[in-house]
Amino acid sequence: MDKTSKGIQTLSTHCSYKTKFAFRFLRSLMKLKKQHQPISSSSSSSMELIHKRSQRIKMLAYSSIAHAAGPRRAWSRAILFKLQSRARHHYFTRKRSSLDSKTKQKKILKNKRVMRNHNIIRAGSTSRVTRETKQMKKLREIVPGGKEMDICSLFDETAHYVKCLSMQVQVMQAIADRFSK
Amino acid sequence: MEMSGHENEDVGFQHRSESILNCPSSGMSTTHLPEKVSGMTMSSLSIFKPSNGADPFFASAWDPIVSLSQSENFGDSSMVSHGELSNPPYPVVLENQGMNSTSHLVQYPSDSSFVEMVPKLPCFGSGSFSEMVGSFGLAECSGIANTGCPPKYTLHKEKATERASPIGAQSHDGRETEDGGIGSSSSGKRRKRALDSSSPFSPNKNAEGEQHKDLSGESSDVMKDHEEKKHKAEENTSGNIRNKQTGKQSKDSSHSEEAPKENYIHVRARRGQATNSHSLAERVRREKISERMRLLQELVPGCNKITGKAVMLDEIINYVQSLQQQVEFLSMKLATVNPELNIDIERILSKDILNSRGGNGAIFGFGPGINSSQPYQHGIFQGTLPTVPSTSPQYTSLPQTVLDNELQGLFHMGFDSSSAIDNLGANAGLLKPEL
């Protein structure tokens, strides 16, 4: 008994991203389903609603994968920051419907982003700013948090991001299959 | 025969150098694998130390050095795990641990082997060997390569003398000629010292003795590079070199005891390339980038044959975009799917994950017996996720009621992944005896 529990615990500590992501994602999905159950039913097949829900689910998926990856990765941090700022913005816009607060909030968020970019650009090498190829720019856009990284770490982050993305797709596919059965 | 044996070794070296070039350290973020790095370096060192045989020793000897130098370069020895152990860079090892190679080198003409390595220098990347050779001029090496092994040595000496005339290391059988660039001097010295182990070279011997102690050549590498880099600008001539070399080596020997985990970049100027520190740093950076590109190449399916940065980048971008589109599509699919009952979701959780993992060793804690038999990676991706034979049949045999309870508990607790898994583990521990 002790051995098995120990083994299980050691195994549990060696949890992979997949487990973490799957658990988190499913839990959030369940929450979403519970929330929408009284509201939406199979009859509500309007594209808008579905689109909204899909956007939400996508965000849930990314948040799950970012949480699963942990804060050690720049891209996961970027995703979490983006989600948090978006949630904050959402919260503020809901609480205060006045335009001023909205614009203020937007400005605040913008400034934060700009400040971050400026700081990092100052710290970074000029070559990154000047001699960037189109591909590198596109890669920076695609990979979350890639805009403020040097090329070396950008590749690092891309590799890790690709791994996590493929795993995410796998799990989501399985879940979708299971749901549709 | 020495020659034949040497040729074999040379071929081996060729492969090694090429392999080393092909599989540079992945250079994953240092934050990720510090322990791994240290572990790897230590393991590689352990491999290195005891080996004192001929080829096996030689092969293994280079490995830790390569890994060490590369770990120094990239802050971790993840590269070591890439199987470079079997393909040690000859020159790197020579540089870093000349003393280790002394006994080994005596067995075969290091010059010829060294010379053999010369043609591979261009592909060597940040191999210290290339630097060493470059600094001291490959002329001797190439000249030596053209000759036989023993004659190579003499030729090497002669050519070294020609070249080393400004260097003034001729007195050391031209071994010191490598020290033309001080960076390579120590390495060349070691190599040549190894060759001259039979011949008396008292001043060098002392340094060699010191070097012999430096089995942990990692730090010596680092220190040497450091010193070498410093000295590169100030190429000394004549007797100063020898003294400097001894001095450096003594320094190296003393430094070799230091922490081997310094993250200095161990770079050597290649032949025909500028030894300017800036260009070297540029080269190191480029090599880092190319290594990362190679890692990405492995990740992206179907990109093994693509050569070229632009095409590879395009492929990577396409792949990431396609993955993101897949996520979006799947999220839309999930949105359209009717939300099933909670009970089903719990089952789906366990079964889905098991299926999706394909037996990757999903650790639920639900199937403790199953999971314990599967290898697991601790939050670190090491290449593609492993696919372990699916454990679903075993899983389905477990009593669903008990599992459902576990799942309920799982869902209701606000878990971070770790705490959740720990709880699962605890639950699984309780579950086990019931099975």
Side-chain angles (χ1 to χ4, degrees):
Chain A
M1 168 100 175
D2 289 339
K3 265 190 182 179
T4 52
S5 59
K6 273 184 191 174
I8 289 155
Q9 276 173 9
T10 51
L11 280 172
S12 63
T13 52
H14 293 293
C15 180
S16 78
Y17 291 143
K18 212 170 190 180
T19 335
K20 294 181 190 176
F21 166 70
F23 277 131
R24 209 179 178 92
F25 182 56
L26 280 168
R27 191 174 75 132
S28 49
L29 259 187
M30 263 184 37
K31 272 188 189 170
L32 195 68
K33 301 291 184 188
K34 279 179 187 171
Q35 283 173 9
H36 282 86
Q37 254 174 358
I39 302 170
S40 68
S41 59
S42 56
S43 60
S44 65
S45 56
S46 64
M47 287 310 294
E48 270 187 28
L49 198 64
I50 289 174
H51 182 70
K52 271 187 188 172
R53 281 182 70 191
S54 73
Q55 289 296 313
R56 261 201 197 168
I57 290 175
K58 190 171 74 166
M59 272 176 54
L60 281 177
Y62 278 115
S63 131
S64 311
I65 196 68
H67 277 289
R72 282 184 295 174
R73 280 286 164 182
W75 64 266
S76 61
R77 285 197 297 267
I79 288 179
L80 291 173
F81 177 81
K82 205 179 4 172
L83 289 170
Q84 283 171 12
S85 60
R86 196 183 289 192
R88 232 180 290 138
H89 179 65
H90 208 57
Y91 172 78
F92 275 111
T93 52
R94 272 189 179 174
K95 282 285 177 180
R96 311 177 196 177
S97 55
S98 67
L99 276 171
D100 291 350
S101 63
K102 265 188 193 175
T103 51
K104 271 186 195 170
Q105 193 62 26
K106 281 180 186 170
K107 276 185 186 172
I108 291 167
L109 291 172
K110 256 190 187 175
N111 287 340
K112 277 187 185 169
R113 227 174 292 129
V114 166
M115 281 304 293
R116 260 184 11 170
N117 290 342
H118 279 326
N119 289 337
I120 289 166
I121 285 174
R122 251 183 259 129
S125 63
T126 53
S127 66
R128 177 171 55 80
V129 177
T130 55
R131 280 190 277 150
E132 284 287 290
T133 62
K134 283 183 185 175
Q135 293 164 329
M136 296 303 296
K137 280 180 190 165
K138 201 166 186 191
L139 194 64
R140 284 182 193 280
E141 288 168 22
I142 286 174
V143 175
K147 289 179 185 171
E148 296 142 358
M149 280 193 257
D150 57 322
I151 294 182
C152 257
S153 49
L154 178 67
F155 282 155
D156 252 355
E157 295 295 320
T158 309
H160 197 262
Y161 183 59
V162 161
K163 278 184 194 165
C164 289
L165 259 189
S166 55
M167 182 267 282
Q168 182 183 25
V169 164
Q170 240 184 320
V171 174
M172 283 178 75
Q173 184 80 52
I175 293 172
D177 288 341
R178 181 61 60 171
F179 266 128
S180 59
K181 278 181 188 172
Chain B
M1 188 175 159
E2 260 190 357
M3 286 299 295
S4 56
H6 175 71
E7 283 166 6
N8 293 336
E9 289 159 1
D10 292 337
V11 171
F13 290 138
Q14 291 177 12
H15 292 309
R16 285 175 198 140
S17 61
E18 284 167 5
S19 61
I20 287 169
L21 290 173
N22 294 332
C23 308
S25 153
S26 66
M28 295 302 284
S29 72
T30 58
T31 56
H32 250 355
L33 310 168
E35 316 86 4
K36 241 189 143 193
V37 173
S38 54
M40 291 308 290
T41 50
M42 292 320 294
S43 61
S44 57
L45 277 178
S46 59
I47 294 169
F48 180 79
K49 280 178 185 175
S51 60
N52 276 314
D55 293 337
F57 167 77
F58 196 77
S60 60
W62 307 141
D63 295 334
I65 294 182
V66 177
S67 60
L68 289 172
S69 60
Q70 290 180 345
S71 63
E72 293 156 8
N73 290 340
F74 307 104
D76 61 36
S77 60
S78 57
M79 62 184 305
V80 175
S81 61
H82 285 293
E84 285 307 279
L85 290 174
S86 56
N87 296 317
Y90 170 91
V92 175
V93 178
L94 281 175
E95 277 183 339
N96 303 332
Q97 306 189 5
M99 66 295 230
N100 292 316
S101 57
T102 51
S103 58
H104 192 54
L105 287 171
V106 175
Q107 299 173 17
Y108 52 88
S110 57
D111 280 338
S112 51
S113 57
F114 179 63
V115 171
E116 292 292 342
M117 298 307 294
V118 171
K120 283 128 201 164
L121 286 174
C123 55
F124 210 76
S126 60
S128 55
F129 172 82
S130 55
E131 236 186 88
M132 164 171 50
V133 174
S135 58
F136 107 95
L138 292 177
E140 304 101 357
C141 294
S142 48
I144 293 170
N146 296 332
T147 63
C149 295
K152 277 182 190 177
Y153 188 71
T154 51
L155 257 180
H156 181 68
K157 286 185 194 177
E158 292 165 7
K159 293 203 177 178
T161 51
E162 291 169 7
R163 221 186 116 86
S165 50
I167 300 171
Q170 294 312 315
S171 57
H172 292 285
D173 293 356
R175 284 178 203 158
E176 302 302 336
T177 58
E178 291 177 356
D179 308 332
I182 292 182
S184 61
S185 62
S186 53
S187 54
K189 222 189 185 181
R190 296 216 193 98
R191 229 182 312 125
K192 291 177 180 174
R193 278 185 190 169
L195 293 170
D196 290 344
S197 62
S198 55
S199 60
F201 268 86
S202 45
N204 296 333
K205 288 291 184 184
N206 295 336
E208 281 181 354
E210 289 171 357
Q211 290 174 354
H212 277 286
K213 293 172 194 170
D214 306 342
L215 275 183
S216 61
E218 324 147 0
S219 54
S220 60
D221 259 353
V222 173
M223 296 317 300
K224 267 181 278 175
D225 293 333
H226 234 37
E227 295 167 354
E228 291 160 0
K229 271 192 171 176
K230 288 178 199 167
H231 291 298
K232 266 176 196 155
E234 6 156 323
E235 292 214 19
N236 295 327
T237 61
S238 65
N240 290 340
I241 292 172
R242 189 191 293 194
N243 296 334
K244 263 194 183 178
Q245 288 164 355
T246 43
K248 248 199 300 181
Q249 285 174 348
S250 55
K251 277 186 218 167
D252 293 338
S253 58
S254 61
H255 284 301
S256 63
E257 304 300 327
E258 285 173 9
K261 295 165 192 173
E262 293 171 354
N263 291 339
Y264 294 116
I265 294 180
H266 185 114
V267 184
R268 292 226 182 256
R270 291 191 218 170
R271 178 189 189 180
Q273 290 200 357
T275 56
N276 190 16
S277 62
H278 290 300
S279 54
L280 282 171
E282 266 293 310
R283 185 148 54 85
V284 168
R285 180 178 156 272
R286 261 182 273 130
E287 282 154 6
K288 262 193 193 179
I289 289 174
S290 57
E291 284 181 14
R292 309 268 164 97
M293 284 280 292
R294 265 175 243 134
L295 187 73
L296 277 170
Q297 206 168 4
E298 291 167 23
L299 279 177
V300 178
C303 284
N304 296 330
K305 296 167 189 173
I306 292 177
T307 51
K309 198 174 166 182
V311 181
M312 197 55 225
L313 273 176
D314 278 336
E315 283 297 316
I316 291 166
I317 289 169
N318 288 338
Y319 186 60
V320 171
Q321 277 177 332
S322 73
L323 282 176
Q324 286 174 340
Q325 281 168 5
Q326 269 182 312
V327 169
E328 194 159 346
F329 173 74
L330 283 170
S331 68
M332 189 166 291
K333 195 173 173 187
L334 284 172
T336 58
V337 156
N338 284 336
E340 297 184 353
L341 301 177
N342 292 346
I343 306 169
D344 289 342
I345 288 176
E346 287 165 6
R347 275 191 203 163
I348 287 164
L349 169 69
S350 46
K351 285 182 187 174
D352 253 344
I353 294 175
L354 278 171
N355 293 338
S356 67
R357 306 220 179 168
N360 272 1
I363 290 179
F364 291 99
F366 300 136
I370 300 161
N371 293 331
S372 57
S373 63
Q374 293 170 359
Y376 227 84
Q377 293 164 358
H378 177 34
I380 295 175
F381 283 149
Q382 302 178 5
T384 56
L385 293 169
T387 54
V388 182
S390 170
T391 58
S392 40
Q394 277 177 318
Y395 175 78
T396 52
S397 68
L398 295 170
Q400 284 292 321
T401 53
V402 180
L403 287 169
D404 285 341
N405 292 337
E406 301 296 345
L407 281 164
Q408 290 269 1
L410 212 194
F411 269 96
H412 291 312
M413 58 189 166
F415 64 97
D416 314 313
S417 45
S418 53
S419 61
I421 301 305
D422 288 337
N423 289 335
L424 278 177
N427 291 337
L430 294 171
L431 186 62
K432 177 79 173 181
E434 294 175 287
L435 299 175

